[in-house]
Amino acid sequence: MSTTKKYAIKVWDISIRIFHWSLVAGIGFLWFSGEEGGNIMTWHVYIGCAMLGLIVYRIFWGIIGSPYARFSEFFKRPSHTFTYLKNILKGEKTDYLGHNPLGGWMVIILMILIFTQAFSGLFSSDDIFTEGPFYSLISSKTSELFTSIHHLNFNVLLAAIALHIGAVAYHVLIKKEALIKSMLTGEKQSPRPSRINTRPNYFFMLLSASVAATVVYLLISQA
């Protein structure tokens, strides 16, 4: 019985993997600390600033990063995405080494929601003793608006995360794709060797990380 040869292709560079799992840990902590309240809210603010820094990094890396990390590789037009969805519903299989069109849209949506969550937190207040770094720059009425956005957006973010986890479970359990392992090792299996140089430019990586770290430092210094 012959088997199709599989090639291990490096798809996700080290910074994308660190970015992904840092978001997982960060959002988990923010959820816990937000529910817990008290002294831990100081770290809630710090980690929230770090989340904003991660999004800044991802925006830069989506433009100048490694091939499969770039927005131009996975951000497809709505018409292309709907065609992909129709093909799935028909049972037709279309493989993408990087993000498929639906996965690409989910990345964008999650980034927007996380950015909104972190940005609104900069101006929010719990009316007890925790205030965002820029709370004093706006009126109390405007802060109330940002605080409402902060609370409402988190529920939307949780719903999007649940949808994302459901999609991953579908690919892992039904389609038998090792997505979680890929996000740990950076490698995916392909029936064809890749001609794309997936090695990241480490200078651009350092540049993007420096910009993101500067943003985090400036935000925390105001907290």
Side-chain angles (χ1 to χ4, degrees), residues 45-54 56 115 118-119 121-123 131-134 211-223:
V45 174
Y46 292 160
I47 299 301
C49 292
M51 294 295 100
L52 193 56
L54 285 173
V56 170
F115 176 84
F119 184 80
L122 298 176
F123 304 92
E131 299 170 347
F134 298 145
V211 172
T214 300
V215 169
V216 174
Y217 171 78
L218 292 174
L219 292 176
I220 290 179
S221 66
Q222 299 299 315

Side-chain angles (χ1 to χ4, degrees), residues 37-215:
N39 294 332
I40 201 173
M41 287 300 291
T42 299
W43 281 100
H44 183 91
V45 174
Y46 292 160
I47 299 301
C49 292
M51 294 295 100
L52 193 56
L54 285 173
I55 296 301
V56 170
Y57 175 83
R58 188 64 182 89
I59 291 172
F60 272 87
W61 203 237
I63 299 171
I64 62 175
S66 55
Y68 291 105
R70 293 177 189 171
F71 300 132
S72 58
E73 195 277 332
F74 64 79
F75 189 42
K76 306 299 183 183
R77 297 188 308 273
S79 59
H80 185 107
T81 305
F82 283 126
T83 299
Y84 172 77
L85 180 58
K86 285 192 296 185
N87 290 340
I88 289 180
L89 296 176
K90 292 177 182 177
E92 298 176 8
K93 185 177 180 181
T94 305
D95 292 324
Y96 289 83
L97 198 53
H99 290 297
N100 63 50
L102 287 175
W105 276 97
M106 180 55 73
V107 169
I108 300 300
I109 290 171
L110 285 172
M111 285 180 60
I112 291 173
L113 290 173
I114 294 170
F115 176 84
T116 301
Q117 190 67 20
F119 184 80
S120 62
L122 298 176
F123 304 92
S124 298
S125 170
D126 64 0
D127 294 324
I128 303 176
F129 56 81
T130 302
E131 299 170 347
F134 298 145
Y135 169 78
S136 61
L137 300 180
I138 59 177
S139 67
S140 58
K141 194 173 185 67
T142 304
S143 177
E144 289 176 6
L145 174 62
F146 275 108
T147 303
S148 297
I149 293 173
H150 195 65
H151 291 156
L152 176 62
N153 184 76
F154 191 68
N155 292 328
V156 178
L157 176 58
L158 288 180
I161 291 172
L163 182 61
H164 175 62
I165 293 174
V168 171
Y170 166 76
H171 281 274
V172 171
L173 300 177
I174 305 301
K175 298 188 70 175
K176 305 301 181 183
E177 297 178 14
L179 291 187
I180 298 175
K181 181 180 178 181
S182 295
M183 194 50 71
L184 290 170
T185 65
E187 294 183 347
K188 294 185 75 173
Q189 298 294 315
S190 172
R192 297 175 298 279
S194 175
R195 297 181 180 180
I196 299 176
N197 180 12
T198 59
R199 183 181 179 84
N201 185 311
Y202 290 103
F203 172 76
F204 285 161
M205 186 183 293
L206 180 61
L207 177 63
S208 301
S210 298
V211 172
T214 300
V215 169

Side-chain angles (χ1 to χ4, degrees), residues 7-52:
Y7 298 87
I9 310 296
K10 200 71 165 181
V11 175
W12 311 123
D13 63 69
I14 182 64
S15 73
I16 286 294
R17 285 175 278 151
I18 292 174
F19 166 82
H20 178 272
W21 295 113
S22 295
L23 282 185
V24 172
I27 292 173
F29 175 81
L30 292 174
W31 190 1
F32 167 77
S33 57
E35 295 292 329
E36 188 74 10
N39 294 332
I40 201 173
M41 287 300 291
T42 299
W43 281 100
H44 183 91
V45 174
Y46 292 160
I47 299 301
C49 292
M51 294 295 100
L52 193 56

